[in-house]
Amino acid sequence: MPHMTWPNLLMNTTNKDLKDVIDSVKAYIELDRASGISEFFVDQKNSDGVKLTACGLKPTSNDLKSLQREVSNCKRCSLHKTRRNIVFGSGNPEAELMFVGEAPGEDEDRQGLPFVGRAGQLLTKIIEAMGLKRSDVYIANILKCRPPNNRPPLPAEIEECEDVLKRQIDIIKPKVICTLGKFASQTLLRTETSISALRGNFKEYNAILLMPTFHPAYLLRNPNDKKLVWADMKKIMKELKIVYK
């Protein structure tokens, strides 16, 4: 069933009996609730009739600082109720290489910075092994707020937050995106293929090369697969002409 807000459903069924429309709306809401969605949103417009994007933003910000200010009080999904900080992203705004993860964890939520916990420390080591520093790359997540107990992102949360990431990518214009783990890879590539099947080969996202690989948190649990991630990093290094020393 294509995604449709219930007001649109009402407008598109003018020839139906009112009871049928109400039943359809109820069924739609119950389907979302069964998927774990507890809040429902409609398209927003400002006083000029301009459609707003995720977090109620006008799609006009052309630099990261402005975009970060605009999302600083986002309340588009229920995650705003439990977060300490929005974790927008950090690094070089002109980076050739951008890493995209899943969502902030407890350490990230506390500090307001991406990948600063144990998984982040491992990512830093990977970046440094490539001959780079964190300040050379840009690091962000699909979600900007921590899901409670680090649970996986819900589809509705991804939908509400994804536009901010897309705008970050549009502003940075990296040559290569490295997606870390299942959710980041599947979201940007619009696929349900497993990360094990995706990793290791370049894909394309809006004319940008994209390398899916395992999340550092996965590597903490499965250290034997570090060699696979390093093989992926070497392909990125070759593409960006980074000389390994």
Side-chain angles (χ1 to χ4, degrees):
M1 176 178 180
H3 182 75
M4 183 179 292
T5 57
W6 68 262
N8 287 338
L9 182 61
L10 288 172
M11 288 187 292
N12 290 333
T13 53
T14 54
N15 294 326
K16 279 194 167 187
D17 180 82
L18 180 58
K19 183 179 182 301
D20 291 339
V21 175
I22 293 174
D23 289 343
S24 296
V25 172
K26 286 181 177 179
Y28 172 78
I29 292 174
E30 290 305 318
L31 178 62
D32 271 1
R33 282 178 174 160
S35 301
I37 301 170
S38 60
E39 296 191 7
F40 306 91
F41 305 95
V42 297
D43 293 337
Q44 298 183 29
K45 295 183 179 180
N46 66 9
S47 58
D48 299 321
V50 175
K51 185 177 179 180
L52 304 179
T53 61
C55 306
L57 310 179
K58 288 177 64 176
T60 56
S61 296
N62 57 8
D63 67 90
L64 290 175
K65 288 184 178 180
S66 296
L67 180 58
Q68 185 171 7
R69 283 195 297 269
E70 290 183 16
V71 303
S72 62
N73 195 36
C74 177
K75 296 181 180 179
R76 288 280 290 177
C77 76
S78 61
L79 294 182
H80 77 274
K81 299 175 183 177
T82 55
R83 72 176 180 231
R84 291 189 183 96
N85 290 291
I86 288 179
V87 183
F88 179 76
S90 68
N92 184 350
E94 298 179 348
E96 291 189 339
L97 174 59
M98 182 174 181
F99 290 92
V100 177
E102 175 181 319
E106 183 177 5
D107 293 309
E108 291 78 14
D109 181 44
R110 185 182 298 112
Q111 297 185 40
L113 294 170
F115 283 90
V116 292
R118 289 184 63 219
Q121 293 167 16
L122 179 53
L123 177 60
T124 299
K125 290 179 180 179
I126 293 171
I127 293 169
E128 291 174 347
M130 298 172 71
L132 301 171
K133 302 185 294 293
R134 282 181 65 118
S135 58
D136 294 323
V137 305
Y138 196 88
I139 305 173
N141 284 300
I142 296 289
L143 297 190
K144 308 307 182 189
C145 299
R146 180 196 180 197
N149 301 315
N150 294 345
R151 63 156 170 74
L154 299 178
E157 294 165 352
I158 293 175
E159 182 177 350
E160 297 299 337
C161 211
E162 184 184 1
D163 183 68
V164 177
L165 175 65
K166 289 180 177 179
R167 293 170 67 189
Q168 287 176 301
I169 294 171
D170 288 343
I171 292 168
I172 296 167
K173 295 179 174 60
K175 291 183 178 179
V176 174
I177 297 171
C178 179
T179 48
L180 302 169
K182 167 186 172 179
F183 286 95
S185 302
Q186 291 182 343
T187 296
L188 290 186
L189 293 175
R190 289 290 187 267
T191 182
E192 295 183 1
T193 303
S194 71
I195 184 60
S196 297
L198 286 173
R199 64 144 295 274
N201 294 295
F202 280 112
K203 315 297 181 183
E204 188 175 292
Y205 171 81
N206 289 353
I208 300 172
L209 287 177
L210 187 152
M211 174 62 74
T213 196
F214 292 125
H215 195 285
Y218 168 86
L219 297 180
L220 292 174
R221 302 188 300 271
N222 302 272
N224 289 338
D225 283 344
K226 289 181 180 179
K227 61 182 180 296
L228 299 178
V229 171
W230 182 238
D232 299 342
M233 295 306 104
K234 288 196 290 186
K235 291 180 181 180
I236 292 175
M237 292 163 64
K238 182 178 180 181
E239 183 65 34
L240 295 178
K241 296 180 173 56
I242 300 172
V243 179
Y244 173 68
K245 298 179 180 180

